[in-house]
Amino acid sequence: MIKFTVQRVESPSEELISSAVDLFYSLMNDDQAAISLCGGDTSLFKLQIRAMVKAAVLDGEFYTATNEEGRLIGYSIWMPPGQEMFSTEEQRALGFNEFVSALPQAGMDYFKNTYLAHFPGFVNQHLGPTGKRDAWWLHNLAVAPEYQRNGIARAIVDVVKEKASIFRMIHQTVIKRELIIQAKAKGEMLATSTTNDKNVPVYVNMGFTINGSMTMPSPWGDWPLHVFSLDTSKLHIISVRSTSMREANRNFETRTLLSDDDDFVLGKEAIANEARTSKVSVFAAAFVVLFFIIDIYAFFSVGKILLDARNTVRDPDTMELRNPYIGLDELYSFQSIKPSAYAPIINEPRMAAQVSPAEPKKVFPFDEHRWLSDFGRLSPPDRRTKVTSDVHTIAQFNVLDYGMEKCALAVRLPNRGDVLPHQYTLPTSRDTVRLNICQLDAHRPLKERTLSWATKPACSRDLGVIEAKVGGEVEMQPFYCKSGDYLTYQISCAEESFGCDIDVWTNQNQTWGLFIRQYQTV
């Protein structure tokens, strides 16, 4: 059995910090996330780790595990609730500024445009907008390979876990000359993330719950990201019966040192004992029965109302589309009214789907980037523009905003070599792509679940050819578009167009493919 000691170090020596840096580097130097966040230059990794350890010593907590000879065999760094890594200039001055200034331009671009665009929002989705700041966030946890599987990581985490769940007294009373004291955990949360799939069962075995997973894109190789939390607010009820306050306090202090399982057993015994010492009054029982009867009656009444309403609901596709901007036409008919000037707005497709004349009945996959969260399945605003000799794209727009009723269709394509969140395809030899645009006879929302070449609306007007540019944007002639209308277009390769092969995704941060630019008209 390996003997080791876990302790918090408030004033570590440079030698100890260097040992921690070397340990973490030896475990993570080939990790895709570490390589990506160093811009591909792994020589900067130690500089980054050192900056993190020093920032944790300043405003967080640094824990070490040492063997009997005093050698470092594991460590962790945490930021407590209310603190975040590198959130102050004092923290950044301890090495982070030096690390950032040494990053190659590709690494700086990746950190700003990809990492910061995905990681904070992903954590907020699963822990809440302030979840990371309100939790004990574990930034580094490392154990030397020859000492792993000996409970060292669990022991390091348990120190902070115990700190986050310190018991506090919540109730004391006297029953039959016995003093009863009850307590529960104060309930702070532990949270962390890992970029290694092998670490997932390790954290789960330590009591963490996996909240979400995703794949982070990177030009140096995509890497996994898993977010965990451990809620210490689970109620621990400890019931202590004594004949004196001194004895009760002594017993209370002893009981707080028991394991979670012992607490749970004692909690059940305490609840059972108190249940035996109290009786539910006849009035309370009658009230519960009456409440149950009223609740059942209300349930069936509401059900009947919903069934009656269902029989009178009209098909949404037959209902009139009302203008929400009531009275604005009359208001702006007065020449004295001068509206503010607004910049053009970009209107991305509300729906984009693919169809193929070669497979007329095929319904292509849709909502491909949908993902499962704690609140159900979420659909990001990603829209695909894919055009080949056999595949066409149908894009439908809903004209936005009153007074922005001059529309112009536009196509924007990335440069070859641009780093985008999703894979994309561009012609290999040509910088110009000739695309044919046709307006479809569809003035209601289309349904992606049934849309195919055989079921698509007919082409009502050919708008001609647009010559899209790789790395550029091309806009067609503007036209009048009424606010609230649905505009539907089919994009295909123009006749005699060679090398027409594009596949790009619009996402919440970048607009690619077909879109509409709306200009002010009032």
Side-chain angles (χ1 to χ4, degrees):
M1 184 67 180
I2 295 176
K3 294 184 179 180
F4 59 91
T5 304
V6 175
Q7 60 274 311
R8 181 186 175 188
V9 182
E10 298 186 24
S11 301
S13 64
E14 284 297 323
E15 181 182 359
L16 180 58
I17 293 176
S18 296
S19 297
V21 170
D22 291 340
L23 173 57
F24 199 76
Y25 179 83
S26 68
L27 296 171
M28 294 285 290
N29 66 86
D30 58 349
D31 184 81
Q32 287 300 136
I35 295 171
S36 301
L37 293 175
C38 290
D41 186 357
T42 55
S43 66
L44 301 177
F45 190 31
K46 286 190 176 183
L47 189 62
Q48 181 190 36
I49 305 168
R50 184 178 297 274
M52 294 178 68
V53 173
K54 287 191 172 183
V57 171
L58 178 67
D59 287 330
E61 297 189 3
F62 176 43
Y63 292 88
T64 63
T66 54
N67 62 12
E68 292 181 284
E69 290 76 33
R71 184 169 71 87
L72 181 74
I73 59 175
Y75 84 94
S76 68
I77 57 174
W78 303 75
M79 279 298 179
Q83 293 284 355
E84 290 195 77
M85 182 70 71
F86 302 135
S87 59
T88 66
E89 184 54 42
E90 290 81 2
Q91 291 183 35
R92 294 190 288 269
L94 295 174
F96 182 71
N97 291 337
E98 181 184 356
F99 166 74
V100 171
S101 63
L103 271 177
Q105 186 60 45
M108 183 68 72
D109 293 341
Y110 179 77
F111 185 78
K112 290 182 177 179
N113 301 329
T114 302
Y115 178 76
L116 292 181
H118 290 81
F119 180 79
F122 182 70
V123 172
N124 291 344
Q125 286 176 357
H126 294 286
L127 300 182
T130 61
K132 184 173 184 290
R133 187 175 180 85
D134 293 341
W136 285 86
W137 186 268
L138 173 59
H139 284 273
N140 288 170
L141 176 61
V143 177
E146 64 272 23
Y147 287 93
Q148 292 177 5
R149 299 184 180 276
N150 285 285
I152 297 174
R154 180 186 294 272
I156 295 174
V157 170
D158 281 350
V159 174
V160 178
K161 180 181 176 182
E162 181 181 351
K163 191 172 188 176
S165 59
I166 295 175
F167 288 95
R168 61 183 176 87
M169 187 178 300
I170 59 171
H171 179 67
Q172 66 180 42
T173 186
V174 176
I175 297 178
K176 296 182 179 179
R177 297 183 180 181
E178 289 185 329
L179 182 65
I180 297 176
I181 297 177
Q182 291 181 333
K184 71 174 183 179
K186 69 179 181 180
E188 291 174 334
M189 184 171 69
L190 275 59
T192 189
S193 65
T194 183
T195 59
N196 191 326
D197 293 331
K198 295 180 180 179
N199 289 339
V200 172
V202 176
Y203 284 108
V204 171
N205 289 336
M206 287 192 290
F208 285 84
T209 299
I210 183 167
N211 296 84
S213 301
M214 69 170 292
T215 300
M216 288 286 285
S218 169
W220 297 279
D222 296 351
W223 46 277
L225 174 64
H226 308 282
V227 174
F228 303 85
S229 66
L230 194 161
D231 188 2
T232 66
S233 64
K234 182 178 68 173
L235 186 63
H236 296 260
I237 299 180
I238 299 176
S239 180
V240 178
R241 294 173 177 267
S242 302
T243 56
S244 68
M245 175 63 77
R246 178 178 298 177
E247 182 183 356
N249 287 333
R250 183 172 63 252
N251 292 340
F252 173 72
E253 292 171 357
T254 303
R255 291 292 178 87
T256 58
L257 298 177
L258 294 172
S259 67
D260 290 348
D261 292 338
D262 291 334
D263 290 342
F264 181 68
V265 172
L266 287 171
K268 292 196 296 184
E269 292 176 354
I271 294 171
N273 289 335
E274 292 199 14
R276 287 192 292 268
T277 60
S278 62
K279 296 181 180 179
V280 179
S281 67
V282 175
F283 175 79
F287 177 80
V288 171
V289 172
L290 179 61
F291 179 81
F292 180 75
I293 294 173
I294 294 174
D295 189 50
I296 294 296
Y297 175 78
F299 175 80
F300 283 105
S301 298
V302 172
K304 184 178 183 303
I305 293 172
L306 293 176
L307 287 174
D308 293 341
R310 183 179 179 182
N311 295 329
T312 60
V313 171
R314 295 170 56 189
D315 183 357
D317 288 341
T318 65
M319 300 175 72
E320 179 185 357
L321 294 173
R322 295 294 183 90
N323 183 0
Y325 303 103
I326 301 173
L328 292 186
D329 286 333
E330 293 80 1
L331 176 65
Y332 284 108
S333 65
F334 297 98
Q335 299 300 319
S336 58
I337 302 295
K338 300 297 182 184
S340 302
Y342 295 98
I345 59 177
I346 289 180
N347 187 348
E348 297 175 349
R350 61 164 295 275
M351 184 280 298
Q354 283 65 53
V355 297
S356 174
E359 300 176 272
K361 294 184 179 181
K362 178 179 179 179
V363 176
F364 280 71
F366 59 91
D367 204 5
E368 296 179 68
H369 296 161
R370 179 176 56 178
W371 56 282
L372 181 63
S373 75
D374 293 338
F375 308 101
R377 292 191 177 274
L378 300 180
S379 299
D382 297 350
R383 301 291 182 264
R384 188 180 197 178
T385 301
K386 181 176 181 178
V387 181
T388 68
S389 58
D390 294 325
V391 177
H392 302 184
T393 288
I394 294 178
Q396 187 172 62
F397 300 86
N398 184 207
V399 180
L400 307 172
D401 292 349
Y402 178 86
M404 303 292 289
E405 296 168 316
K406 183 169 75 170
C407 294
L409 279 168
V411 176
R412 180 186 297 165
L413 298 178
N415 261 319
R416 296 183 184 92
D418 282 353
V419 179
L420 303 184
H422 309 297
Q423 291 185 349
Y424 62 95
T425 302
L426 296 171
T428 56
S429 59
R430 295 172 178 267
D431 289 334
T432 300
V433 184
R434 290 171 51 80
L435 302 173
N436 188 72
I437 311 292
C438 178
Q439 185 168 358
L440 302 185
D441 186 17
H443 307 291
R444 293 279 181 169
L446 295 178
K447 297 180 174 62
E448 296 172 281
R449 296 179 182 274
T450 59
L451 188 61
S452 65
W453 180 266
T455 61
K456 74 176 182 67
C459 177
S460 60
R461 187 159 64 103
D462 191 351
L463 302 184
V465 174
I466 184 171
E467 294 190 346
K469 305 290 186 183
V470 174
E473 177 185 313
V474 179
E475 186 174 292
M476 300 183 76
Q477 286 294 322
F479 57 91
Y480 171 74
C481 54
K482 184 180 178 182
S483 174
D485 280 357
Y486 287 90
L487 304 176
T488 309
Y489 301 97
Q490 177 178 317
I491 310 101
S492 59
C493 292
E495 293 184 3
E496 300 180 357
S497 176
F498 300 98
C500 173
D501 186 5
I502 62 171
D503 186 2
V504 292
W505 287 85
T506 279
N507 57 71
Q508 61 182 356
N509 298 316
Q510 297 171 311
T511 300
W512 303 109
L514 186 71
F515 64 94
I516 287 179
R517 182 174 280 110
Q518 293 181 223
Y519 296 91
Q520 186 173 358
T521 54
V522 295

